Amino acid sequence: ETGVTQTPRHLVMGMTNKKSLKCEQHLGHNAMYWYKQSAKKPLELMFVYSLEERVENNSVPSRFSPECPNSSHLFLHLHTLQPEDSALYLCASSRGTDTDTQYFGPGTRLTVL
Amino acid sequence: LAKTTQPISMDSYEGQEVNITCSHNNIATNDYITWYQQFPSQGPRFIIQGYKTKVTNEVASLFIPADRKSSTLSLPRVSLSDTAVYYCLVGARGGGFKTIFGAGTRLFVKA
């Protein structure tokens, strides 16, 4: 247990569906991250939030929409995804964005049909 | 951003010491070296971090030569449960959002 939880753990959705991934951290951290990990590929940083403000958006398609309502919660809203978006989506948190170790959640395994 | 190079995969047997070396020729003066471990279908987990010389914790040791252009993660007496991907990262102290995860080294421990 890292103190970062993600729900759901598994998700199957069609290309026309709308779904959301949820991340919650119980560590009192100020920064939260979304990563994508496709099969046999390195982790790709998608979004970074610091104190609820988005500080990084790594050229992610608009069909992925993040939301950070407070420093403990992070959402990734999904709509009209493509099969190539199937991947493990990982959430992480850290005390700050530059100085501290990232703690990762278990991930959500997403399959887009 | 400092780029890292690691072996793609390594095999070992239970009880052996495993050393994984990472090259980072362009490391900056204020960069730290951090190693993470990732099991299948799980998020990466912090193992160890260092700036120079040697760092040891209950899980591993990290050896960093004086020029800091490489580092070696040492896992003593590995077990089957150490089978995982190990990532070497160079950058802001904790990783931060400017740090990039590379392909990592896939370690397979055999009985």
Side-chain angles (χ1 to χ4, degrees):
Chain A
E1 274 296 327
T2 62
V4 180
T5 59
Q6 290 185 244
T7 55
R9 294 294 308 277
H10 300 272
L11 178 62
V12 179
M13 60 186 288
M15 289 190 284
T16 58
N17 291 158
K18 288 185 180 182
K19 297 286 184 183
S20 295
L21 309 185
K22 179 183 175 182
C23 175
E24 184 173 359
Q25 58 98 357
H26 311 275
L27 302 167
H29 289 167
N30 292 319
M32 296 187 78
Y33 311 74
W34 278 117
Y35 286 87
K36 174 185 177 182
Q37 188 171 35
S38 303
K40 298 186 179 178
K41 286 187 179 179
L43 275 76
E44 302 172 52
L45 180 63
M46 301 174 72
F47 301 104
V48 181
Y49 276 82
S50 175
L51 295 170
E52 300 148 46
E53 183 181 334
R54 192 188 310 179
V55 295
E56 183 80 358
N57 178 344
N58 260 358
S59 303
V60 179
S62 59
R63 57 186 183 269
F64 295 91
S65 174
E67 178 190 0
C68 187
N70 55 63
S71 58
S72 299
H73 294 87
L74 185 65
F75 294 90
L76 187 62
H77 303 301
L78 316 170
H79 63 97
T80 58
L81 294 192
Q82 305 297 311
E84 59 264 29
D85 296 321
S86 298
L88 181 68
Y89 288 84
L90 291 158
C91 173
S93 72
S94 63
R95 217 163 20 171
T97 53
D98 284 337
T99 61
D100 290 287
T101 302
Q102 294 181 53
Y103 292 80
F104 285 82
T108 294
R109 173 70 62 188
L110 173 67
T111 302
V112 182
L113 302 175
Chain B
L1 294 174
K3 181 175 159 49
T4 60
T5 303
Q6 310 172 230
I8 294 174
S9 65
M10 294 180 70
D11 287 347
S12 181
Y13 288 92
E14 281 191 292
Q16 289 188 331
E17 178 184 77
V18 170
N19 296 309
I20 306 174
T21 297
C22 178
S23 297
H24 28 79
N25 291 317
N26 297 324
I27 189 169
T29 303
N30 57 348
D31 282 343
Y32 281 74
I33 299 155
T34 309
W35 286 79
Y36 283 82
Q37 173 193 56
Q38 185 180 25
F39 298 113
S41 297
Q42 293 185 28
R45 182 176 71 109
F46 171 86
I47 302 176
I48 197 166
Q49 183 182 77
Y51 183 79
K52 61 180 180 180
T53 62
K54 177 184 174 183
V55 180
T56 296
N57 61 22
E58 63 278 5
V59 176
S61 294
L62 179 59
F63 298 92
I64 306 168
D67 65 5
R68 303 201 327 124
K69 292 184 184 300
S70 66
S71 59
T72 299
L73 174 73
S74 181
L75 304 171
R77 296 180 300 281
V78 294
S79 64
L80 296 176
S81 62
D82 292 316
T83 294
V85 178
Y86 292 83
Y87 296 96
C88 164
L89 283 71
V90 172
R93 178 165 187 149
F97 71 92
K98 293 186 175 64
T99 302
I100 298 173
F101 281 80
T105 297
R106 190 171 298 274
L107 172 66
F108 186 66
V109 180
K110 295 180 271 192

